[in-house]
Amino acid sequence: MTTQQTVKIQLVRSPIGCKESHRATVRGLGLRKLNSVSELQDTPAVRGMINKISYLVKVL
């Protein structure tokens, strides 16, 4: 059995007033409301998305 590494992220700032592509990235990560938490597989693609919107999210 292989265990996948996961990363937990929380939306701490509102994407209102941000670029449309940054809002789409927030939705793509499964975050909806403020302080919502999403647990995703730790892949380079997810890491890149987190890096793009690092000013909006917190890694738990």
Side-chain angles (χ1 to χ4, degrees):
M1 283 173 75
T2 60
T3 56
Q4 292 287 338
Q5 294 285 21
T6 60
V7 61
K8 233 181 205 183
I9 55 172
Q10 180 179 18
L11 186 64
V12 293
R13 283 193 58 202
S14 173
I16 295 173
C18 296
K19 291 182 176 180
E20 189 61 43
S21 64
H22 289 205
R23 274 187 247 161
T25 303
V26 169
R27 295 291 293 134
L29 287 171
L31 301 169
R32 295 185 129 224
K33 296 181 178 180
L34 213 54
N35 294 320
S36 63
V37 177
S38 184
E39 188 169 355
L40 303 161
Q41 290 183 0
D42 193 7
T43 62
V46 170
R47 286 283 173 163
M49 292 170 80
I50 292 170
N51 191 40
K52 182 176 180 178
I53 58 164
S54 61
Y55 63 100
L56 295 175
V57 298
K58 176 171 67 171
V59 178
L60 304 176

